[in-house]
Each structure stands twice: as structure tokens, then as C-alpha cells.
Amino acid sequence: MAGAKAGLYLQSSVSALRGVGPALVPRLQHMDLWRVQDVLFHLPSRYQDRRHIASMATLQPGQERAILGEIVRVDHQRGGREQWLVTVSDGSGRLQIRLFHMAVALRAQWQVGRRLWCFGELRGGFHGLEMIHPEWQMADVPQFQAPRHLTPFYPSSEGITQTQWRRWIAQALTLLDQLPDYLEGRLPPQWPGLREGLRLLHESADEIPSPQHPAWQRLALEELLANHLAVRRMRQSGMTQNAPCLRSEGQLWRRFLARLPFSPTMAQERVIAEINADLARHRPMRRLLQGDVGSGKTLVAAAATLAALEAGYQVAMMAPTEILAEQLHARFQQWLEPLGLEVGYLVGSRSPRARREAAEALAGGSLRLVIGTQSLFQEGVAFACLGLVIIDEQHRFGVEQRRQLLEKGAMPHLLVMTATPIPRTLAMTVHADLEVSVIDALPPGRTPVETLVMPDSRRPELIGRMQHMLEAGRQIYWVCPLIEESEILELQAAEASVADLQAALPGVAVGLIHGRMRSAEKAEVMAAFQSGAVRILVATTVIEVGVDVPGASLMIIEHAERLGLAQLHQLRGRVGRGTQRSSCILLYHPPLSGKARERLRVMRETYDGFAIARKDLELRGPGEYLGTRQAGILQMRVANILRDEALLVMVPALADRLLQEDPEAVQAIVQRWLGNRVDYGQVG
Ligand code: ADP
Ligand code: MG
């Protein structure tokens, strides 16, 4: 295992880790991993037991197993696609290993007669059971070591393998002794120390640590404490600041309503009134707008925008991704330009010149409304008179983002929109500075999305159904979720789906969108789907929350068993937006784990996003936060607000004590859990 580089510190940038090159740095930052210390706090989302060697006679497709056997045949095929087919036997049975690429230096090792240890998922192949690109070691060499502990799996992002994670984490763990434990001596004696807990979770668990395991609890407690401390400081600084009064007569809003083809629902009206009352005060609004997918939050955002514009102030609206920013921009253009209002657009992928022009217009005050991504709040963008900030569907909108916003000069009002509810205990402890408005009814005329669950062996049947939909002029989403272990397999799977669909439905335009495409390419594919030129959109994981294509009324999700409930609900929310009847088909690959079966059952029976979010929290384990990236404001790394309520009770007293006894520790804990982007020291 790689040792630490000389000069590696907990506060070093992740680029100081061996194996993290310049291309990986932004991808890690995107996952909120900025420093070596953050990697230490990147915790497993699950574990596998590879200590047990399975007898080949007992293997079944769908299982993940470790095997040990002798290589009895190596077949190197060059025609078509180069591949190696390696047969292994353990006396009880045989297994085929299929490799599509193999480093030249390793080829010599794959010889008949050698003993091989492999771990991977079993699939039913053409020649019987096979493993594709398993993890492997030659077992007849002295350095061979079968795993002695559980093997951790880390939340990942496209293109980062588990092997890479484990190498980086091993390096970070060499610095573990330097990590201060600020709660040492402040917790009951039976609690484990921070370092002990981290080491156990990363590398030495013998049994899968349940969420109640003291190691998880120790970390969850510190995370809740960090959030609570940050909010207390924020509240202190916020209370002393004044926001502009955004009082409007409602003239723009009335002109807007006169052109709108529908009227706001009662729920929308009520929420708009709550927001308008906040905006008219000097105290900066900190309001969370909760409303299920499709409940019409954008209209509420428009109402707040118009009030602020009429009062003479600027409005900035931020979406988490460029695709969403672009959609919002298009919607606002359609809505507001007829009223003579200009809608600016600022995202990272625009030309430097376009960005500079937008930034200048904002700084000069000639541009009053801008929609964009994080770029809106990066250095170099200043606002002449920012009165209102709206954040749509921010998946990790936490205290530190709020703080970052407040730094943009004068204190603006803030509206955060989310499809995820927050429980009361959480609202009181961790988000104590936010007030909540709820849209509790969907616009009229929606029909619930019919949801079917079926094994992927029934895929061919689907084609008939799809044909039918296409003939009726409908459009279709086809989602292939991320396969965390292998990007190659994932892209292959998506490309294979495109090819299958093209073969089965000749003449139908099928588009592909995946995470490795540049944003301009993604936008192009999205635009083609939106215009109807593309009829079926195959997507890896990137159908963004909030995407609105009313003509799409069938959503098919492959490997639905791999997705979290929140994500499934968000994806399903992409259909059922027009008035026609829509359906969502969840394909799974058997066998199903107990939890996966439960998730699919919930999806089939429940349409209420709040109920689903609750169930999601119940079923989720610690550390499973990035894999379910749409969990909204509940997004914590370790803590689970429902399950860890008992910990929340401890938090305020612990916070009081730390604030009195060790203000530097307060600063450090907040920075450790939340303050990765900026130095927290500047606030409060
Ligand atoms: P979300 O809350 O998920 O952001 P949107 O704001 O995108 O939902 O709204 C979903 C769809 O519902 C949009 O097509 C929008 O135009 C429509 N919509 C919003 N409010 C109403 C309403 N009061 N009556 C009818 N349709 C509405
Ligand atoms: Mg939305």
C-alpha cells in the first residue's frame, strides 16, 4: 500500500495524495472533498465480506463472491473486440473470467496452472457463469493475502474506482494520529475516540458496523454538533444585519398573472403571501420552500422575483447544475421578457467574454435578474444592489453555502426551494435559522404516475409498450444508473442500451446523455429531446432534478434496485408533468436484497414525496449520502436525522460547553464538517 508522500498534511489539498492528478482534483471537490482531512471523513457507504471463499459449485448469477482456483485455460481473442477469456476451476466447478483490457505488464501472469483469487459479481454469460473484470490477485505468490477485514465501499463519482478510494484513504490514515479529537474528555467514557472510530470504519471492521455502532454514533454526534454550532454563529451575525425592504405594490405580479395560462393554486398563493411579508421587512428572510416534485415551486420563485425587481433590487437565482440553470433561464425568459424584463444567464461554460459582460452588467446594476450556477457567487461577480437570492433544488445546500452567500456584500433575502421535507427536530437544532413554507397540494389535473416493478428479463416486453407510446407521439426516458465500481461497464451498459433500442425500434431517434460529456454537449442533447427531435433519451445518471419535458410520459429505470428512494422519486417526477397518463417502469436485476425489495415496494405504493423521504431516511445507512444525492437539505455525511434523534438531544449542551471552554475547537469542528470551501474564520 502506498505510504504517505513527504509533506502530506491533513490540511493539504487532495492533490497532495499520491494518485490524485490535476484532472481528479475538481471531481473530488465536486464531492466536497478539498483537503486530505476531508478524505479521512469520506466514509464507506457499505461493506463486503470477501474473507469467505465460495465453492464454485454453489455460485449463482447476481451474487458477489470471492473465489480461489486454478487457471485451466486462457483464451486471448483478437477478432472484433480484443478480450481475454480465462477459465478457473476449484475442483467443484468452473468459472469464466472475462477481461476487455489488460495492462501489458500483467499479461504474463495469467498462465495456465497458476492459482488465482478473484472477487466480483457473477453473471450468466454465454458459456455459463462469468465475472467481468473482477478484482484479482495471483494466489500462489508469498505476498498473496486474502482479505482479513471487511472491504469498505465508498460513495463514488463516475470514473473513480474503489481501488483508488482505498489507496487515497490508506494514505490519509497515515496522518490519523495528527487529527485532534475535540470531544475527548467531554463525552461519557464508553464513547470511542474520534480516531479509533474512523480507523474502525475505514479499515478494520470485522462485522458490518450497524448505524448504532459507537463508531458511527461518535461521528454522527460531531456532525450534528458542527451544524448546530455553525447555525448559532450565523444567527448571531445575521441578527445584527439589515436587509433591504422589498415592498412592492404587486403591479408586475398582476401583469404577469394576466398572461399566465393558469392561476396559482391556493397553496401557492399562501406561500407567496408568506414570502412577500418577509421581503417587506428589514430582517433578512431565511426561508425554505418545501414542495413535492411538480408542485410548482418555480411560480413561487417568479412571484418573489417580481416583488424584488419592482422594489428596485437585483435578484440572483441559482440552480445546482447547468442543465437546470438553462431550463430555469428559458422558463423565466418566456415568462418575464413579455413584461420587458431582461433575464441574464451566468454559468461556467459560457465564454469568458459572455461571463465578463454579465458580471459587468450586474456590478453596474443595469442587469437586474440573473440565473446561473455556483458561478454566480464566485469571486469576480459583484452585485450593485442584490436584494434576493433564490436557490433551486440545491442538493447539498448547507450552512456553508448560506454563509458564502452572505459574504456577497449587503445582506440579501434568501429563499431556498427543495422537494425534501425537514423534520421538526432537525429544523430546530440544525436549521434553526430557517423558516419553512410548504406547498402542500399539487396543481390540478395531475394523474399519479403508474409505477410498475419488473425483473430485467422482461425487457423485451417493454419494447411493445414503448412502440405504442411513440406512435401516440410521446417521448421516453431510459435511465441506466451509475455502476460504482466501473465506469467502463457503465458506459458500455448505456451504449448497449442505445444499440438495443435502435435495433428494436428502427427509425426512432435515440439520444444518449452521460456524465462525461461536456456541458455544451449535454445541453445539445437535452435541447433535442425537449424539441422532440430525439424521442428516447438514454441517460446514465444525469437526468437532472427539475428537468421539465412535458411530452415525456414514460420513464424506464434500469437497475432500479441500485438507487435510493429519494433519487427514484425525483426521477419518476420527470414524467407525469403534462396532462396525459404517465408511467414509470422500475427494472431490477434479481436477486433483490431485502432493502431493495422494500424500496421498490414503497415506490409502487407511494406517490407522496414526504412519505417517501421519511421512508428513505429509515432505510438508509450511515455514509450513504452521496449515492443518494437528491436527499436535499437532509444531506449529512453520517448523521441520520430520524434515526439519530437521541443524539440531537445531547447537542445543545455540548455546544454550550465548547463555546465556553474552547472557542478554537468550535472553529475547527465547523471547518472540519462544513467549511471546506472557505475559511470559516471570517464570519461572526
Ligand atoms: P417543481 O415544484 O418541481 O419545481 P415546477 O415549478 O417545475 O415544479 O412546476 C411543474 C409544472 O407545473 C410546470 O409545468 C408548471 O408550469 C406547472 N404549474 C405550476 N403551477 C401551476 C398551477 N397553479 N396550475 C397549473 N400548472 C401549474
Ligand atoms: Mg423545480
Side-chain angles (χ1 to χ4, degrees):
M1 200 49 47
K5 273 192 214 170
L8 187 69
Y9 302 100
L10 287 171
Q11 300 302 332
S12 306
S13 150
V14 283
S15 63
L17 291 167
R18 208 185 294 273
V20 177
L24 279 165
V25 172
R27 305 177 73 177
L28 291 176
Q29 289 176 346
H30 190 70
M31 298 177 77
D32 231 358
L33 303 171
W34 300 71
R35 307 169 194 203
V36 173
Q37 174 173 291
D38 300 331
V39 173
L40 216 41
F41 283 83
H42 188 63
L43 295 162
S45 51
R46 63 189 177 90
Y47 298 86
Q48 267 172 356
D49 193 347
R50 304 178 171 191
R51 294 169 297 187
H52 176 76
I53 307 268
S55 150
M56 289 187 194
T58 66
L59 301 176
Q60 301 282 335
Q63 294 175 329
E64 287 182 317
R65 289 288 182 270
I67 57 100
L68 184 69
E70 184 180 322
I71 300 180
V72 293
R73 187 186 156 99
V74 178
D75 191 10
H76 182 185
Q77 297 186 346
R78 280 168 239 258
R81 184 144 184 224
E82 183 173 44
Q83 56 176 323
W84 285 261
L85 297 172
V86 178
T87 312
V88 190
S89 159
D90 70 350
S92 81
R94 288 170 171 240
L95 177 69
Q96 181 154 287
I97 314 284
R98 188 191 292 268
L99 304 167
F100 292 105
H101 50 85
M102 198 192 301
V104 179
L106 296 178
R107 290 181 193 176
Q109 298 189 26
W110 291 75
Q111 300 287 346
V112 170
R114 295 206 58 178
R115 289 183 67 70
L116 178 72
W117 177 93
C118 285
F119 181 87
E121 186 184 337
L122 292 152
R123 294 165 192 245
F126 192 64
H127 303 284
L129 277 183
E130 63 179 23
M131 279 187 189
I132 301 174
H133 279 277
E135 297 195 22
W136 61 273
Q137 301 181 54
M138 288 298 157
D140 50 8
V141 290
Q143 63 270 32
F144 168 70
Q145 198 172 61
R148 279 178 303 178
H149 297 292
L150 293 177
T151 307
F153 274 73
Y154 292 94
S156 193
S157 144
E158 294 196 51
I160 305 181
T161 64
Q162 291 299 315
T163 314
Q164 285 172 300
W165 284 116
R166 289 183 203 124
R167 281 198 192 125
W168 301 332
I169 283 160
Q171 292 172 61
L173 280 169
T174 62
L175 305 175
L176 190 60
D177 292 342
Q178 298 168 27
L179 185 74
D181 184 348
Y182 300 106
L183 302 186
E184 209 164 359
R186 294 191 165 95
L187 295 176
Q190 67 271 26
W191 282 70
L194 177 66
R195 292 180 290 271
E196 191 190 331
L198 281 172
R199 188 176 296 285
L200 180 127
L201 294 174
H202 280 303
E203 62 170 22
S204 54
D206 282 332
E207 256 178 78
I208 295 179
S210 82
Q212 283 74 32
H213 191 286
W216 280 124
Q217 295 279 294
R218 169 65 186 75
L219 285 157
L221 176 69
E222 187 169 315
E223 181 174 35
L224 293 170
L225 177 68
N227 277 278
H228 179 74
L229 287 167
V231 167
R232 273 167 72 154
R233 299 178 62 152
M234 177 109 53
R235 207 163 24 175
Q236 271 167 0
S237 63
M239 270 182 314
T240 59
Q241 267 161 302
N242 269 343
C245 272
L246 306 180
R247 221 183 298 267
S248 83
E249 300 289 312
Q251 282 182 18
L252 280 175
W253 176 239
R254 277 193 297 277
R255 280 173 56 206
F256 170 80
L257 282 183
R259 308 181 49 99
L260 195 69
F262 49 81
S263 351
T265 60
M266 301 256 288
Q268 284 168 324
E269 298 260 21
R270 174 173 45 73
V271 166
I272 290 168
E274 287 167 0
I275 291 169
N276 281 334
D278 278 1
L279 292 178
R281 285 195 201 108
H282 269 302
R283 195 166 58 110
M285 170 169 80
R286 298 281 167 267
R287 193 167 280 278
L288 184 69
L289 173 59
Q290 274 174 215
D292 202 353
V293 181
S295 63
K297 295 183 288 292
T298 320
L299 186 70
V300 176
T305 298
L306 291 173
L309 292 179
E310 190 173 313
Y313 282 84
Q314 284 173 311
V315 178
M317 184 156 173
M318 182 172 89
T321 67
E322 290 199 5
I323 291 184
L324 286 177
E326 166 136 9
Q327 288 229 330
L328 271 178
H329 179 240
R331 175 81 71 85
F332 270 63
Q333 270 184 322
Q334 182 205 342
W335 276 350
L336 303 190
E337 280 184 351
L339 306 180
L341 300 167
E342 187 190 352
V343 187
Y345 185 53
L346 208 163
V347 297
S349 71
R350 295 201 85 183
S351 72
R353 176 150 170 231
R355 271 186 291 164
R356 199 176 49 243
E357 280 173 9
E360 278 167 13
L362 289 169
S366 60
L367 180 60
R368 307 264 305 284
L369 168 60
V370 66
I371 294 177
T373 52
Q374 290 274 350
S375 324
L376 281 178
F377 299 107
Q378 264 141 22
E379 282 152 70
V381 183
F383 293 84
C385 51
L386 184 59
L388 172 65
V389 171
I390 303 175
I391 299 192
D392 190 18
E393 308 278 14
Q394 171 63 285
H395 58 90
R396 270 212 79 195
F397 184 77
V399 183
E400 94 268 15
Q401 280 90 354
R402 266 179 270 161
R403 205 200 55 73
Q404 208 176 359
L405 285 181
L406 305 187
E407 281 195 335
K408 281 283 155 197
M411 177 78 73
H413 294 279
L414 176 61
L415 179 66
V416 179
M417 307 201 285
T418 173
T420 317
I422 65 171
R424 250 179 72 78
T425 32
L426 175 66
M428 293 173 62
T429 339
V430 174
H431 295 289
D433 61 332
L434 286 176
E435 292 183 83
V436 180
S437 290
V438 182
I439 307 183
D440 49 11
L442 294 180
R446 299 283 168 86
T447 41
V449 180
E450 173 202 28
T451 304
L452 301 173
V453 176
M454 52 175 83
D456 52 9
S457 53
R458 285 173 59 193
R459 200 166 142 154
E461 267 173 58
L462 276 181
I463 299 296
R465 190 180 183 116
M466 293 172 73
Q467 201 140 32
H468 204 74
M469 300 287 282
L470 291 166
E471 276 160 16
R474 307 286 160 73
Q475 287 168 277
I476 301 172
Y477 289 107
W478 183 288
V479 182
C480 317
L482 180 76
I483 300 170
E484 68 183 325
E485 283 81 11
S486 164
E487 176 179 72
I488 301 170
L489 288 181
E490 170 188 276
L491 253 186
Q492 267 171 19
E495 278 164 4
S497 294
V498 171
D500 284 357
L501 290 169
Q502 273 166 341
L505 298 161
V508 174
V510 182
L512 172 63
I513 188 166
H514 58 83
R516 306 219 62 192
M517 288 161 81
R518 286 181 297 119
S519 27
E521 292 172 317
K522 286 192 207 169
E524 210 170 289
V525 176
M526 262 335 280
F529 188 56
Q530 210 137 22
S531 73
V534 161
R535 308 294 308 284
I536 304 179
L537 182 66
V538 176
T540 52
T541 31
V542 287
I543 298 186
E544 312 280 344
V545 171
V547 166
D548 200 8
V549 182
S553 53
L554 176 60
M555 157 89 49
I556 296 159
I557 305 177
E558 279 190 282
H559 283 293
E561 78 278 6
R562 293 192 176 137
L563 292 174
L565 274 175
Q567 222 172 359
L568 287 170
H569 179 63
Q570 293 281 10
L571 283 171
R572 181 170 64 181
R574 299 310 105 217
V575 293
R577 301 210 139 200
T579 41
Q580 75 271 31
R581 182 136 187 82
S582 302
S583 15
C584 176
I585 297 177
L586 304 175
L587 289 178
Y588 65 88
H589 187 68
L592 281 178
S593 73
K595 268 193 190 178
R597 185 179 305 275
E598 178 68 8
R599 284 199 297 267
L600 296 179
R601 187 189 63 75
V602 170
M603 285 304 294
R604 202 175 43 216
E605 294 172 1
T606 318
Y607 295 95
D608 173 2
F610 285 17
I612 290 177
R614 271 207 155 251
K615 196 72 197 165
D616 183 40
L617 278 172
E618 280 170 35
L619 290 174
R620 223 175 326 148
E624 290 182 50
Y625 68 107
L626 283 164
T628 52
R629 56 182 275 251
Q630 301 306 343
I633 200 120
L634 297 170
Q635 204 85 284
M636 299 218 178
R637 296 177 188 218
V638 182
N640 177 323
I641 301 311
L642 290 185
R643 194 185 53 222
D644 299 330
E645 272 196 68
L647 295 177
L648 275 173
V649 176
M650 299 173 63
V651 163
L654 200 53
D656 288 340
R657 214 177 135 187
L658 266 184
L659 282 164
Q660 271 185 4
E661 295 170 7
D662 196 351
E664 272 171 32
V666 170
Q667 168 109 353
I669 288 182
V670 170
Q671 189 258 325
R672 174 182 288 172
W673 288 93
L674 310 162
N676 294 317
R677 295 181 188 183
V678 270
D679 181 4
Y680 200 74
Q682 297 154 9
V683 162

